Every structure is written in structure tokens, then in C-alpha cells.
Amino acid sequence: MSDFAHPATICQHEGEARKLLGAVVPPIFQNTLFVHEAWENFESAVGFPVGGPYHYSRVSNPTLEVAERKIAALEGTEDARLFSSGMAAISAGIMGNVRAGSHVVCVDSIYGPTRMFLTEYLAKFGVTTTYVVGENPEDFVRASVPETSLWVLESPTSIVFRLQDLAEVSKRARSRGIATLIDNSYSSPIFQQPHRLGIDLVAHTVSKYLGGHSDVVGGVLCGSNERMAPIRKFEYELLGSAMSPFNAWLVNRSMRTLGLRMRAVQESARRVAEWLASRPEVERVFYVGSPGYPQAELRDRQMGGWGGLVTFEPSTNTREWCKSFTESLRLFQLGVSWGGHESLVVPLEYQAMDWPSPRWLIRLYCGLEAGEDHTADLAQGFDAAVSLR
């Protein structure tokens, strides 16, 4: 349990009670191993994988533990492990809850590489996956079979931002002895804490909001000590998945401004979504914070904010229009990922499970620039693509 209640205070002080040589910023333990003066100390360290004494940084490292304690306290979990990438954390959470012949139920609009891991990689070991829309908790129940061991969630989902009712889904899973795992990267623990709603394991791509400066590739997996213990032993230690100490130090640096950054990008995204809704070039806007969001009641019940992502469907729904529009933008840079200081745009042809055909969509990430510059850039992008309408 944290000594602090408010997220802002947790981000500043959790895990930092010990000031080595009086340093106000925890130092980087950029070393592979830790030596010991006595046999007993060495013997204790080798058998003590968490919280020191330490022996090898593939197993545990004090720099990682500072950031891990902050994230666990924010998510309301007993443990958190920093991984070398978001996919390492998500894959570890999945592998820790399946075996040969297992069955997984997953939301259809999950992050693309997660879907690839489930459908293509785990299929080699006889693990099968069924995809569901997930807006109704009974979607997961109906798709489950006796071999189902895991439900994989992402709320809001990638691209079109659909929600699952986390409390109701977790209740149904637990009554059936099925584990639950969620990718919470969209919200960060500032805006949503799925574990407090009953979800067993919570993953983040640290490269996004938790890192926040587009200079860290990493992931984190959070859960109870009971859930995390076998994952620490096998998927974390044996697969060599630990984040480097320097990257963990960067994460700890970024955590200090997490709440401020989340509120700033949310305000920018709100303004952009509102502006897009008024434009003739836009057929529809996907934004969790919009007044007309179709799952508004659930959103308000389980989320505290909606971050910096906005997706829209252009009225001229062609590859050529999307190419002209995105290449004309100056502030919104054409690139994957999100969560950093810079605004980004991604065009993609997308088809949800319950859509009759694919549609071209434009996903925007609104960074830390001035809000009026976001809309000015989008306006000139629309003007540049006008000949293709």
C-alpha cells in the first residue's frame, strides 16, 4: 500500500523515501550485477527476487523498482514489472495465463500486434482465439468454451474507442475461473484503474503516456502478488524481458508530469473533436469525450478522462484523399504511436467486426502544442485536399 492517496503525490514521491547521498532524484543503477561482502548476504540475494537485496538486473534493479512502485500505487495493484516493450508486457500477461490447447476470448478492435500474437504466434502451440465486439459483457460468456482460460480487453479499444464494462466483465470471468487482462495504455492510470474494477492484470505500453516524451520503448504489467509471481519467474526472468535501468530512470522522470500532460492533451483533443464535428469534410468523429458518445453512461462510470486521441472518418473516403490530407499537415506528423509531446496522424483502412465493409479513417493524436495551432493545421490540410472531394 502507498503512503500517499493522491495520484499527483504518488507520481512525485512513491518509492523515493530513501535519499541516497541526499540525491533528490533517484540515481541510475546502470549495472548488470550486485556484489556482496558475505556468503549469507549473497545467499539471501539470490533467493530474494523483489525489493532487494539485489544480485542481477535481469531479475530486479532498484532503478526499475522506483518507477514500478509508482505505477502499482496508481493502478491499485500489489506489484508491477517494467518490461522492455509494451508487447513484451502484454505477451507475458497472455502467456502466463494460457497453455497448449487453451482458448482466449479477445475484443475485436484490439491493438494490432496483440491480435497478431494471439492469432499467428500462439496458434503454433494450439492456443485458439475468438474475437468479440465486447460492448455487451455477455459477448465474452457466449464466446467461451471449457478450454477458455483468459479474456483479453482493451477499453477504450484502438482506433474506434469502444468500451467494455470492466466491472461486469470481471465479475463474469471470476465466477468461471477465467483470468482477465486489459491493455490500459489509452487511459493511463490517471484516467482509469481497471484493477479496482476487478480486472486481474493491467498492461501499458510505457512508450505512450507513461514515458510521454517519445524517447522510451517499454511496457509494464500490474497485478496482485499471486498473479504476478509465476509471470515474474518465467515470462519476466527466463525470457529476459526486463527494461533497462536507464529507460526506467526516464520513466520515473516522466511520471512526475503524467497528470499535467494527460489533462493538457485531453483539452487539446476535446477542442479538435468539437471542431472536426462541424466540418463538411468529416463524416463522423470517434472521440470518447464527446457529448454524444454512445457509451457515455459507462464512460462516466469507469473513466476519469479521455486523453489525446481522436479518430474521424473523412467524407471523401478514398486512399487518395487521405494521402493528400496527411501529407499536407505540418504540425501533425505522419507516424505511429502516441502519448508524447508531438502531435501525430495515422491514416488506415479499417473494418470493425460489425461493419459491413472497410472504411478509411484518420487517427489524430493531439500533443502538447497550442490548441489553436492544431485546428489551423487541420484546416490547411482540408484545404489542400479539396480538389479530391
Side-chain angles (χ1 to χ4, degrees):
M1 293 291 292
S2 174
D3 292 331
F4 312 107
H6 196 283
T9 308
I10 289 171
C11 286
Q12 305 309 321
H13 297 292
E14 183 66 30
E16 299 187 25
R18 185 184 179 194
K19 304 294 184 186
L20 293 175
L21 299 179
V24 71
V25 175
I28 306 172
F29 286 83
Q30 189 65 46
N31 44 283
T32 57
L33 63 104
F34 300 81
V35 297
H36 307 273
E37 294 181 356
W39 173 290
E40 291 78 13
N41 291 346
F42 173 73
E43 201 169 46
S44 174
V46 171
F48 202 117
V50 180
Y54 306 94
H55 74 287
Y56 197 57
S57 285
R58 175 172 56 82
V59 177
S60 61
N61 178 286
T63 305
L64 273 69
E65 287 185 3
V66 173
E68 288 167 346
R69 285 187 58 178
K70 291 184 194 295
I71 297 169
L74 290 172
E75 284 287 4
T77 60
E78 293 175 316
D79 192 18
R81 297 282 98 186
L82 281 170
F83 286 74
S84 57
S85 71
M87 276 309 301
I90 293 166
S91 300
I94 293 172
M95 287 191 294
N97 287 281
V98 298
R99 61 181 62 189
S102 288
H103 175 255
V104 177
V105 181
C106 179
V107 290
D108 173 61
S109 44
I110 194 78
Y111 179 55
T114 302
R115 186 181 185 114
M116 184 183 298
F117 179 76
L118 286 166
T119 302
E120 299 183 27
Y121 186 80
L122 286 185
K124 297 192 300 182
F125 307 100
V127 176
T128 58
T129 304
T130 300
Y131 294 94
V132 297
V133 173
E135 291 183 344
N136 185 339
E138 288 298 312
D139 290 349
F140 295 90
V141 176
R142 287 190 289 266
S144 294
V145 296
E147 294 76 24
T148 303
S149 62
L150 178 66
W151 291 352
V152 179
L153 316 174
E154 185 179 341
S155 182
T157 59
S158 295
I159 312 301
V160 293
F161 316 134
R162 291 173 168 174
L163 306 186
Q164 299 100 62
D165 189 326
L166 303 185
E168 288 299 319
V169 170
S170 64
K171 185 188 304 181
R172 287 163 171 76
R174 290 192 175 187
S175 70
R176 292 164 173 79
I178 297 171
T180 50
L181 164 68
I182 187 170
D183 183 344
N184 197 34
S185 302
Y186 175 99
S187 299
S188 89
I190 298 297
F191 287 158
Q192 183 170 258
Q193 301 87 41
H195 188 70
R196 301 183 194 277
L197 298 172
I199 301 300
D200 295 314
L201 292 169
V202 181
H204 291 267
T205 299
V206 170
S207 318
K208 297 181 169 58
Y209 288 129
L210 296 178
H213 295 75
S214 299
D215 56 9
V216 176
V217 173
V220 68
L221 186 66
C222 313
S224 67
N225 289 331
E226 182 181 5
R227 287 278 180 188
M228 292 293 293
I231 293 172
R232 286 199 310 266
K233 182 178 179 180
F234 296 112
E235 286 77 22
Y236 185 76
E237 294 181 22
L238 290 186
L239 296 184
S241 302
M243 179 181 281
S244 73
F246 180 64
N247 276 357
W249 186 87
L250 290 174
V251 173
N252 190 49
R253 166 216 61 182
S254 300
M255 295 290 290
R256 302 190 192 282
T257 61
L258 178 59
L260 299 172
R261 290 185 287 103
M262 292 301 297
R263 287 185 284 275
V265 299
Q266 175 175 272
E267 177 58 20
S268 292
R270 183 195 63 78
R271 293 178 62 172
V272 165
E274 186 177 277
W275 182 84
L276 287 171
S278 69
R279 297 288 302 200
E281 300 91 347
V282 175
E283 181 68 25
R284 59 175 164 169
V285 176
F286 302 88
Y287 175 57
V288 177
S290 65
Y293 181 67
Q295 295 175 281
E297 188 276 332
L298 177 58
R299 171 199 68 192
D300 295 342
R301 178 156 37 95
Q302 69 184 23
M303 299 178 70
W306 5 104
L309 289 171
V310 180
T311 297
F312 72 90
E313 178 184 339
S315 300
T316 305
N317 204 263
T318 64
R319 179 181 181 275
E320 292 72 23
W321 187 94
C322 293
K323 181 176 185 293
S324 175
F325 171 73
T326 54
E327 287 184 341
S328 300
L329 298 175
R330 299 167 187 148
L331 189 66
F332 286 89
Q333 301 171 76
L334 186 58
V336 300
S337 197
W338 41 269
H341 58 279
E342 75 285 13
S343 292
L344 298 167
V345 59
V346 174
L348 69 162
E349 193 173 25
Y350 182 85
Q351 183 173 10
M353 192 173 182
D354 54 345
W355 291 8
S357 60
R359 303 289 291 170
W360 278 97
L361 301 177
I362 305 286
R363 190 190 71 186
L364 302 171
Y365 168 66
C366 305
L368 295 175
E369 306 91 349
E372 57 266 29
D373 288 334
H374 290 137
T375 52
D377 190 39
L378 296 171
Q380 66 84 23
F382 284 147
D383 291 342
V386 70
S387 63
L388 297 175
R389 289 178 61 184

